[in-house]
Amino acid sequence: MKLIDLDTPTALLDEACVQRNIQRMQQRLDALGVALRPHVKTAKCVEIARRMQAAGARGITVSTLKEAEVFFEAGFDDILYAVGIALPRLAQVRALRERGCGLKLVLDSLEAAQAVCAAGPGLEVLIEIDTDGHRAGVDPEAALLLQIGQALQAGGAVLGGVMTHAGASYECRSPQALQAMAEQERARCVRAAQRLRQAGLPCPRVSVGSTPTALAAQRLDDVTEVRAGVYVFNDLVMHGLGVCRLDDIALSVLTTVIGHQPARGWVLVDAGWMALSRDRGTADQPVDWGYGAVCDEQGQPIDGLIVSGANQEHGIVSWRDGHADAALAQRFPIGQRLRILPNHACATAAQFGHYEVLGSNGALQRWERFSGW
Ligand SMILES: Cc1ncc(COP(=O)(O)O)c(C=O)c1O
Protein backbone atom coordinates (compact mmCIF):
# COMPACT_ATOMS: atom_id res chain seq x y z
CA MET A 1 0.00 0.00 0.00
CA LYS A 2 1.22 3.48 -0.87
CA LEU A 3 -0.28 6.92 -0.17
CA ILE A 4 -1.57 7.01 -3.73
CA ASP A 5 -3.64 3.84 -3.13
CA LEU A 6 -5.60 5.25 -0.18
CA ASP A 7 -9.23 6.22 -0.46
CA THR A 8 -10.06 9.67 0.85
CA PRO A 9 -10.88 11.20 3.18
CA THR A 10 -8.68 9.27 5.57
CA ALA A 11 -6.90 9.95 8.85
CA LEU A 12 -3.18 9.88 8.19
CA LEU A 13 -0.55 9.62 10.90
CA ASP A 14 3.11 10.44 10.49
CA GLU A 15 4.66 7.65 12.55
CA ALA A 16 8.01 9.37 13.12
CA CYS A 17 6.22 12.52 14.29
CA VAL A 18 4.06 10.53 16.74
CA GLN A 19 7.21 8.96 18.15
CA ARG A 20 8.98 12.34 18.45
CA ASN A 21 5.98 13.81 20.27
CA ILE A 22 5.91 10.88 22.70
CA GLN A 23 9.64 11.23 23.42
CA ARG A 24 9.47 14.99 23.83
CA MET A 25 6.75 14.88 26.50
CA GLN A 26 8.34 11.95 28.30
CA GLN A 27 11.77 13.61 28.37
CA ARG A 28 10.31 16.88 29.61
CA LEU A 29 8.49 15.22 32.51
CA ASP A 30 11.48 12.99 33.29
CA ALA A 31 13.54 16.18 33.57
CA LEU A 32 10.96 17.68 35.94
CA GLY A 33 11.04 14.48 38.01
CA VAL A 34 7.38 13.58 37.67
CA ALA A 35 5.53 10.60 36.19
CA LEU A 36 3.54 10.87 32.97
CA ARG A 37 0.09 9.27 32.95
CA PRO A 38 -0.88 10.06 29.33
CA HIS A 39 -4.48 10.73 28.42
CA VAL A 40 -5.31 8.17 25.74
CA LYS A 41 -8.56 9.83 24.67
CA THR A 42 -6.89 11.67 21.78
CA ALA A 43 -5.73 8.58 19.90
CA LYS A 44 -7.98 5.83 21.41
CA CYS A 45 -5.51 3.44 19.89
CA VAL A 46 -3.75 0.56 21.64
CA GLU A 47 -0.60 0.72 19.43
CA ILE A 48 -0.07 4.32 20.44
CA ALA A 49 -0.62 3.71 24.16
CA ARG A 50 1.94 0.88 23.96
CA ARG A 51 4.47 3.28 22.47
CA MET A 52 3.79 5.75 25.29
CA GLN A 53 4.32 2.98 27.82
CA ALA A 54 7.53 1.83 26.14
CA ALA A 55 8.83 5.43 26.36
CA GLY A 56 8.28 5.45 30.13
CA ALA A 57 4.65 6.43 30.80
CA ARG A 58 3.20 5.09 34.05
CA GLY A 59 -0.47 4.23 33.86
CA ILE A 60 -2.99 5.83 31.53
CA THR A 61 -5.86 8.31 31.78
CA VAL A 62 -9.17 7.68 30.03
CA SER A 63 -12.24 9.80 29.34
CA THR A 64 -14.81 6.99 28.93
CA LEU A 65 -15.47 3.62 30.53
CA LYS A 66 -15.29 2.18 27.00
CA GLU A 67 -11.63 3.28 26.91
CA ALA A 68 -11.10 1.67 30.31
CA GLU A 69 -12.59 -1.61 29.00
CA VAL A 70 -10.60 -1.66 25.75
CA PHE A 71 -7.27 -0.68 27.28
CA PHE A 72 -7.72 -3.13 30.16
CA GLU A 73 -8.37 -5.92 27.63
CA ALA A 74 -5.15 -4.85 25.92
CA GLY A 75 -3.15 -5.27 29.15
CA PHE A 76 -3.25 -1.81 30.75
CA ASP A 77 -4.32 -2.12 34.37
CA ASP A 78 -3.43 1.21 35.99
CA ILE A 79 -6.21 3.44 34.67
CA LEU A 80 -7.55 6.79 35.88
CA TYR A 81 -11.03 7.58 34.59
CA ALA A 82 -10.78 11.38 34.68
CA VAL A 83 -14.42 12.37 34.17
CA GLY A 84 -16.80 12.59 37.13
CA ILE A 85 -18.54 9.25 37.50
CA ALA A 86 -22.16 8.92 36.35
CA LEU A 87 -23.66 6.95 39.23
CA PRO A 88 -25.65 4.42 37.14
CA ARG A 89 -22.32 3.18 35.75
CA LEU A 90 -20.83 2.22 39.12
CA ALA A 91 -21.77 -1.42 38.50
CA GLN A 92 -19.56 -1.42 35.40
CA VAL A 93 -16.75 0.12 37.43
CA ARG A 94 -17.06 -2.58 40.09
CA ALA A 95 -17.07 -5.29 37.44
CA LEU A 96 -13.83 -3.94 35.97
CA ARG A 97 -12.24 -3.78 39.44
CA GLU A 98 -13.29 -7.36 40.15
CA ARG A 99 -11.58 -8.47 36.96
CA GLY A 100 -8.33 -6.98 38.31
CA CYS A 101 -8.38 -3.55 36.68
CA GLY A 102 -6.79 -0.87 38.88
CA LEU A 103 -9.43 1.63 37.81
CA LYS A 104 -9.51 4.91 39.73
CA LEU A 105 -12.42 7.33 39.73
CA VAL A 106 -12.75 11.07 40.19
CA LEU A 107 -15.57 12.98 41.84
CA ASP A 108 -16.26 16.35 43.40
CA SER A 109 -19.50 15.97 45.40
CA LEU A 110 -20.64 14.37 48.64
CA GLU A 111 -23.48 12.66 46.77
CA ALA A 112 -21.06 10.90 44.42
CA ALA A 113 -18.73 10.01 47.34
CA GLN A 114 -21.62 8.39 49.22
CA ALA A 115 -22.78 6.49 46.13
CA VAL A 116 -19.26 5.20 45.44
CA CYS A 117 -19.00 3.95 49.04
CA ALA A 118 -22.44 2.34 48.79
CA ALA A 119 -21.34 0.50 45.64
CA GLY A 120 -18.96 -1.55 47.79
CA PRO A 121 -15.63 -1.15 49.60
CA GLY A 122 -12.21 -0.56 48.12
CA LEU A 123 -12.91 1.65 45.10
CA GLU A 124 -10.06 4.11 44.65
CA VAL A 125 -11.12 7.73 44.22
CA LEU A 126 -9.34 11.01 43.51
CA ILE A 127 -11.07 14.24 44.47
CA GLU A 128 -11.26 16.66 41.57
CA ILE A 129 -9.95 20.15 42.38
CA ASP A 130 -10.96 23.33 40.60
CA THR A 131 -7.74 25.26 40.03
CA ASP A 132 -8.91 27.68 37.32
CA GLY A 133 -12.70 28.14 37.39
CA HIS A 134 -12.85 26.38 34.04
CA ARG A 135 -15.06 23.37 34.66
CA ALA A 136 -15.50 20.84 37.45
CA GLY A 137 -13.90 20.43 40.85
CA VAL A 138 -13.89 21.56 44.48
CA ASP A 139 -12.19 24.79 45.49
CA PRO A 140 -8.93 23.86 47.24
CA GLU A 141 -9.89 26.04 50.22
CA ALA A 142 -13.48 24.75 50.54
CA ALA A 143 -14.77 22.88 53.59
CA LEU A 144 -16.35 20.49 51.09
CA LEU A 145 -12.91 19.11 50.20
CA LEU A 146 -12.40 17.72 53.71
CA GLN A 147 -16.02 16.59 53.93
CA ILE A 148 -15.65 14.52 50.74
CA GLY A 149 -12.31 13.13 51.97
CA GLN A 150 -13.84 12.13 55.31
CA ALA A 151 -16.92 10.60 53.68
CA LEU A 152 -14.75 8.47 51.39
CA GLN A 153 -12.47 7.38 54.21
CA ALA A 154 -15.34 6.57 56.59
CA GLY A 155 -17.33 4.84 53.83
CA GLY A 156 -14.63 2.31 52.98
CA ALA A 157 -13.33 3.81 49.71
CA VAL A 158 -9.61 4.29 49.08
CA LEU A 159 -8.81 8.00 49.03
CA GLY A 160 -6.21 8.01 46.27
CA GLY A 161 -5.50 11.74 46.23
CA VAL A 162 -6.40 14.82 44.23
CA MET A 163 -6.47 15.66 40.55
CA THR A 164 -7.01 18.79 38.47
CA HIS A 165 -7.04 19.90 34.84
CA ALA A 166 -6.41 23.58 34.15
CA GLY A 167 -8.46 23.80 30.96
CA ALA A 168 -8.16 27.59 31.14
CA SER A 169 -4.65 27.06 29.79
CA TYR A 170 -6.18 26.77 26.31
CA GLU A 171 -7.20 30.42 26.57
CA CYS A 172 -3.74 31.72 27.52
CA ARG A 173 -2.26 34.09 24.98
CA SER A 174 1.42 34.33 25.93
CA PRO A 175 4.18 32.03 27.17
CA GLN A 176 4.18 33.99 30.45
CA ALA A 177 0.44 33.47 30.91
CA LEU A 178 0.86 29.74 30.23
CA GLN A 179 3.69 29.45 32.73
CA ALA A 180 1.61 31.27 35.32
CA MET A 181 -1.35 28.96 34.64
CA ALA A 182 0.86 25.89 34.99
CA GLU A 183 2.09 27.17 38.35
CA GLN A 184 -1.46 28.01 39.47
CA GLU A 185 -2.61 24.49 38.52
CA ARG A 186 0.29 22.98 40.46
CA ALA A 187 0.10 25.21 43.53
CA ARG A 188 -3.67 24.95 44.02
CA CYS A 189 -3.72 21.18 43.60
CA VAL A 190 -0.79 20.79 46.00
CA ARG A 191 -2.60 23.07 48.47
CA ALA A 192 -5.66 20.77 48.34
CA ALA A 193 -3.38 17.78 49.04
CA GLN A 194 -1.84 19.60 52.03
CA ARG A 195 -5.25 20.37 53.49
CA LEU A 196 -6.31 16.73 53.26
CA ARG A 197 -3.07 15.57 54.90
CA GLN A 198 -3.32 18.18 57.65
CA ALA A 199 -6.79 16.80 58.39
CA GLY A 200 -5.23 13.35 58.86
CA LEU A 201 -6.44 12.01 55.51
CA PRO A 202 -4.25 10.16 53.00
CA CYS A 203 -3.35 11.87 49.72
CA PRO A 204 -0.74 9.81 47.88
CA ARG A 205 -1.52 11.06 44.35
CA VAL A 206 -1.35 14.66 43.18
CA SER A 207 -2.32 14.51 39.51
CA VAL A 208 -2.32 17.60 37.27
CA GLY A 209 -2.15 18.48 33.67
CA SER A 210 -2.85 19.26 30.11
CA THR A 211 -0.45 19.49 27.19
CA PRO A 212 0.05 23.28 27.43
CA THR A 213 0.65 23.31 31.20
CA ALA A 214 2.90 20.22 31.02
CA LEU A 215 5.09 21.93 28.44
CA ALA A 216 5.03 25.34 30.15
CA ALA A 217 5.60 24.22 33.77
CA GLN A 218 8.91 25.38 35.18
CA ARG A 219 8.67 23.11 38.21
CA LEU A 220 6.30 20.43 39.39
CA ASP A 221 7.30 20.09 43.05
CA ASP A 222 4.95 17.94 45.14
CA VAL A 223 3.08 16.75 42.03
CA THR A 224 3.22 12.97 41.52
CA GLU A 225 1.95 12.72 37.95
CA VAL A 226 1.03 14.74 34.88
CA ARG A 227 -1.80 13.87 32.52
CA ALA A 228 -1.23 15.19 29.01
CA GLY A 229 -2.95 13.77 25.95
CA VAL A 230 -3.18 15.82 22.77
CA TYR A 231 0.64 16.19 22.60
CA VAL A 232 0.79 12.78 20.93
CA PHE A 233 -0.69 14.27 17.73
CA ASN A 234 -0.62 18.03 18.44
CA ASP A 235 -2.92 20.31 16.45
CA LEU A 236 -3.46 23.88 15.28
CA VAL A 237 -4.83 24.96 18.68
CA MET A 238 -1.61 23.76 20.33
CA HIS A 239 0.36 25.52 17.59
CA GLY A 240 -1.60 28.71 18.29
CA LEU A 241 -0.67 28.41 21.97
CA GLY A 242 2.97 28.22 20.94
CA VAL A 243 3.56 24.73 22.36
CA CYS A 244 4.30 22.99 19.03
CA ARG A 245 5.40 23.79 15.50
CA LEU A 246 3.28 22.99 12.45
CA ASP A 247 5.62 20.12 11.61
CA ASP A 248 5.00 18.62 15.07
CA ILE A 249 1.38 17.89 14.04
CA ALA A 250 1.28 14.14 13.39
CA LEU A 251 -2.37 13.82 12.31
CA SER A 252 -3.74 15.07 9.01
CA VAL A 253 -6.74 14.27 6.86
CA LEU A 254 -5.78 13.12 3.37
CA THR A 255 -8.28 14.53 0.89
CA THR A 256 -8.88 14.75 -2.89
CA VAL A 257 -9.75 17.79 -4.98
CA ILE A 258 -13.26 17.25 -6.37
CA GLY A 259 -14.13 20.62 -7.93
CA HIS A 260 -13.50 24.35 -8.36
CA GLN A 261 -15.28 27.69 -8.23
CA PRO A 262 -12.59 29.83 -9.94
CA ALA A 263 -14.59 33.07 -9.71
CA ARG A 264 -14.66 32.69 -5.94
CA GLY A 265 -11.13 31.32 -5.63
CA TRP A 266 -12.42 28.04 -4.18
CA VAL A 267 -11.04 24.54 -4.48
CA LEU A 268 -13.52 21.90 -3.33
CA VAL A 269 -12.20 18.80 -1.53
CA ASP A 270 -13.85 15.62 -0.24
CA ALA A 271 -13.11 16.43 3.42
CA GLY A 272 -15.99 18.36 4.95
CA TRP A 273 -16.85 18.62 8.63
CA MET A 274 -17.73 14.93 8.76
CA ALA A 275 -14.02 14.23 8.26
CA LEU A 276 -12.43 17.32 9.83
CA SER A 277 -15.02 17.78 12.62
CA ARG A 278 -16.86 21.04 13.26
CA ASP A 279 -14.27 22.12 15.81
CA ARG A 280 -13.34 25.77 15.26
CA GLY A 281 -10.92 25.95 18.14
CA THR A 282 -8.62 28.44 16.38
CA ALA A 283 -11.48 30.92 15.79
CA ASP A 284 -10.64 32.67 19.08
CA GLN A 285 -6.89 32.55 18.57
CA PRO A 286 -4.80 35.26 16.89
CA VAL A 287 -4.47 33.06 13.76
CA ASP A 288 -7.76 31.51 12.60
CA TRP A 289 -7.24 28.39 10.46
CA GLY A 290 -10.90 27.93 9.52
CA TYR A 291 -11.47 24.17 9.53
CA GLY A 292 -7.81 23.32 9.01
CA ALA A 293 -4.45 24.19 7.45
CA VAL A 294 -3.88 22.98 3.90
CA CYS A 295 -0.71 21.06 3.06
CA ASP A 296 0.48 19.44 -0.15
CA GLU A 297 0.32 15.66 -0.49
CA GLN A 298 3.72 15.32 1.18
CA GLY A 299 2.51 17.26 4.22
CA GLN A 300 4.23 20.60 3.50
CA PRO A 301 1.96 23.45 4.70
CA ILE A 302 0.96 25.88 1.92
CA ASP A 303 1.31 29.26 3.57
CA GLY A 304 -2.00 31.12 3.80
CA LEU A 305 -4.20 28.34 2.37
CA ILE A 306 -6.93 27.11 4.72
CA VAL A 307 -10.20 25.19 4.72
CA SER A 308 -12.34 28.30 4.93
CA GLY A 309 -15.69 26.51 4.85
CA ALA A 310 -17.04 23.04 5.46
CA ASN A 311 -20.29 21.28 4.58
CA GLN A 312 -20.93 17.72 5.60
CA GLU A 313 -18.75 16.14 2.90
CA HIS A 314 -17.35 19.21 1.07
CA GLY A 315 -14.46 21.29 2.25
CA ILE A 316 -13.83 24.71 0.70
CA VAL A 317 -10.15 25.53 0.32
CA SER A 318 -9.17 29.16 -0.27
CA TRP A 319 -6.67 31.81 0.82
CA ARG A 320 -7.09 32.96 4.41
CA ASP A 321 -7.33 36.61 3.33
CA GLY A 322 -10.33 35.66 1.15
CA HIS A 323 -8.99 36.96 -2.17
CA ALA A 324 -10.52 35.13 -5.16
CA ASP A 325 -7.53 33.47 -6.80
CA ALA A 326 -8.73 31.84 -10.05
CA ALA A 327 -5.25 30.31 -10.52
CA LEU A 328 -5.87 27.88 -7.64
CA ALA A 329 -7.90 25.73 -10.07
CA GLN A 330 -4.80 25.12 -12.23
CA ARG A 331 -2.51 24.71 -9.24
CA PHE A 332 -4.76 22.09 -7.62
CA PRO A 333 -6.47 20.17 -10.43
CA ILE A 334 -9.28 17.63 -9.98
CA GLY A 335 -7.89 14.45 -8.43
CA GLN A 336 -4.97 16.21 -6.69
CA ARG A 337 -4.35 15.01 -3.11
CA LEU A 338 -3.92 17.44 -0.22
CA ARG A 339 -3.52 17.02 3.52
CA ILE A 340 -5.41 19.05 6.12
CA LEU A 341 -3.98 19.69 9.58
CA PRO A 342 -6.74 19.71 12.22
CA ASN A 343 -7.76 22.42 14.67
CA HIS A 344 -8.41 19.86 17.40
CA ALA A 345 -6.82 16.44 16.96
CA CYS A 346 -9.17 14.67 19.42
CA ALA A 347 -12.25 15.81 17.48
CA THR A 348 -10.83 15.06 14.02
CA ALA A 349 -9.48 11.64 14.98
CA ALA A 350 -12.93 10.80 16.38
CA GLN A 351 -14.39 10.97 12.86
CA PHE A 352 -12.43 7.87 11.81
CA GLY A 353 -12.39 4.16 12.66
CA HIS A 354 -8.68 3.69 11.98
CA TYR A 355 -5.49 5.52 11.17
CA GLU A 356 -3.36 5.00 8.09
CA VAL A 357 0.14 5.24 9.49
CA LEU A 358 2.88 6.46 7.20
CA GLY A 359 6.36 5.23 8.07
CA SER A 360 9.52 7.14 7.18
CA ASN A 361 10.16 4.60 4.35
CA GLY A 362 6.81 5.50 2.74
CA ALA A 363 5.17 2.21 3.76
CA LEU A 364 1.68 2.29 5.25
CA GLN A 365 0.13 0.30 8.05
CA ARG A 366 -3.29 0.49 9.64
CA TRP A 367 -3.87 1.09 13.36
CA GLU A 368 -7.41 0.63 14.67
CA ARG A 369 -9.07 3.25 16.82
CA PHE A 370 -12.39 2.98 18.58
CA SER A 371 -15.13 5.29 19.78
CA GLY A 372 -18.21 5.20 21.96
CA TRP A 373 -18.80 5.28 25.68
C1 LIG B 1 -9.22 15.66 32.97
C2 LIG B 1 -8.25 15.84 31.86
N1 LIG B 1 -6.96 15.51 32.06
C3 LIG B 1 -6.03 15.65 31.10
C4 LIG B 1 -6.37 16.14 29.85
C5 LIG B 1 -5.31 16.25 28.78
O1 LIG B 1 -5.15 17.55 28.29
P1 LIG B 1 -4.50 17.79 26.86
O2 LIG B 1 -5.40 17.17 25.87
O3 LIG B 1 -4.37 19.27 26.75
O4 LIG B 1 -3.17 17.11 26.87
C6 LIG B 1 -7.70 16.49 29.59
C7 LIG B 1 -8.10 17.03 28.29
O5 LIG B 1 -9.20 17.44 28.05
C8 LIG B 1 -8.67 16.34 30.63
O6 LIG B 1 -9.96 16.66 30.44
Side-chain angles (χ1 to χ4, degrees):
M1 260 302 227
K2 287 268 169 1
L3 211 50
I4 193 81
D5 305 316
L6 290 177
D7 284 336
T8 60
T10 200
L12 198 64
L13 280 186
D14 177 330
E15 188 180 7
C17 186
V18 169
Q19 199 56 40
R20 274 200 311 277
N21 292 345
I22 290 173
Q23 297 295 353
R24 177 187 180 213
M25 184 61 81
Q26 189 65 54
Q27 280 163 8
R28 164 133 199 116
L29 296 178
D30 287 350
L32 288 168
V34 66
L36 170 60
R37 178 188 288 280
H39 209 316
V40 294
K41 76 185 170 96
T42 304
K44 300 201 194 209
C45 171
V46 169
E47 277 81 359
I48 292 179
R50 291 211 173 108
R51 279 168 167 74
M52 292 163 152
Q53 202 177 33
R58 277 185 256 154
I60 57 170
T61 310
V62 299
S63 63
T64 63
L65 285 179
K66 171 87 174 270
E67 287 163 66
E69 300 268 4
V70 174
F71 283 102
F72 178 59
E73 287 290 334
F76 294 82
D77 59 5
D78 177 2
I79 302 179
L80 174 64
Y81 173 37
V83 175
I85 180 70
L87 303 183
R89 300 198 70 167
L90 277 169
Q92 193 181 352
V93 170
R94 278 228 69 87
L96 266 165
R97 293 277 305 194
E98 275 154 22
R99 286 164 60 204
C101 177
L103 183 62
K104 295 159 252 307
L105 303 179
V106 310
L107 53 78
D108 64 358
S109 70
L110 265 179
E111 293 88 331
Q114 284 153 359
V116 164
C117 294
L123 285 181
E124 184 174 345
V125 177
L126 277 71
I127 304 177
E128 183 160 10
I129 308 301
D130 181 4
T131 52
D132 62 350
H134 175 74
R135 195 168 64 190
V138 185
D139 188 291
E141 303 297 340
L144 180 61
L145 172 65
L146 303 185
Q147 289 161 6
I148 294 174
Q150 278 146 2
L152 288 168
Q153 178 89 335
V158 175
L159 179 50
V162 287
M163 62 78 72
T164 192
H165 167 68
S169 59
Y170 306 125
E171 274 109 57
C172 289
R173 290 291 171 263
S174 69
Q176 295 74 15
L178 259 186
Q179 273 181 28
M181 184 55 71
E183 175 53 18
Q184 176 177 317
E185 180 184 55
R186 183 201 74 82
R188 293 191 181 170
C189 201
V190 167
R191 168 71 183 144
Q194 280 165 350
R195 286 191 65 227
L196 287 170
R197 291 178 191 136
Q198 279 160 6
L201 293 163
C203 188
R205 300 180 198 274
V206 180
S207 176
V208 306
S210 67
T211 293
T213 54
L215 293 173
Q218 299 300 294
R219 60 187 195 118
L220 285 167
D221 311 0
D222 303 319
V223 165
T224 63
E225 65 180 33
V226 169
R227 304 177 323 278
V230 75
Y231 72 94
V232 69
F233 291 167
N234 286 312
D235 55 27
L236 293 169
V237 167
M238 289 300 124
H239 175 65
L241 286 171
V243 302
C244 74
R245 300 172 316 206
L246 280 184
D247 63 6
D248 295 323
I249 301 178
L251 173 69
S252 61
V253 174
L254 184 70
T255 185
T256 304
V257 173
I258 56 170
H260 301 105
Q261 290 288 358
R264 292 175 155 142
W266 289 356
V267 176
L268 302 179
V269 294
D270 68 348
W273 56 252
M274 206 62 153
L276 300 171
S277 91
R278 284 196 80 84
D279 196 291
R280 288 277 295 109
T282 56
D284 302 326
Q285 291 191 324
V287 178
D288 182 350
W289 294 92
Y291 288 86
V294 179
C295 305
D296 66 18
E297 190 175 3
Q298 276 63 51
Q300 267 309 314
I302 301 166
D303 197 20
L305 205 61
I306 64 169
V307 181
S308 54
N311 297 166
Q312 188 158 344
E313 301 296 352
H314 296 75
I316 298 173
V317 168
S318 64
W319 294 113
R320 180 188 281 115
D321 67 10
H323 82 275
D325 180 0
L328 281 182
Q330 284 81 55
R331 186 164 166 195
F332 304 112
I334 301 280
Q336 167 100 39
R337 305 292 189 109
L338 296 169
R339 289 195 212 174
I340 314 295
L341 302 178
N343 279 325
H344 183 182
C346 308
T348 301
Q351 311 300 310
F352 296 92
H354 64 264
Y355 303 106
E356 298 290 352
V357 185
L358 188 60
S360 359
N361 57 359
L364 281 168
Q365 49 180 317
R366 183 172 283 196
W367 291 350
E368 295 305 318
R369 92 180 289 291
F370 60 90
S371 49
W373 290 265

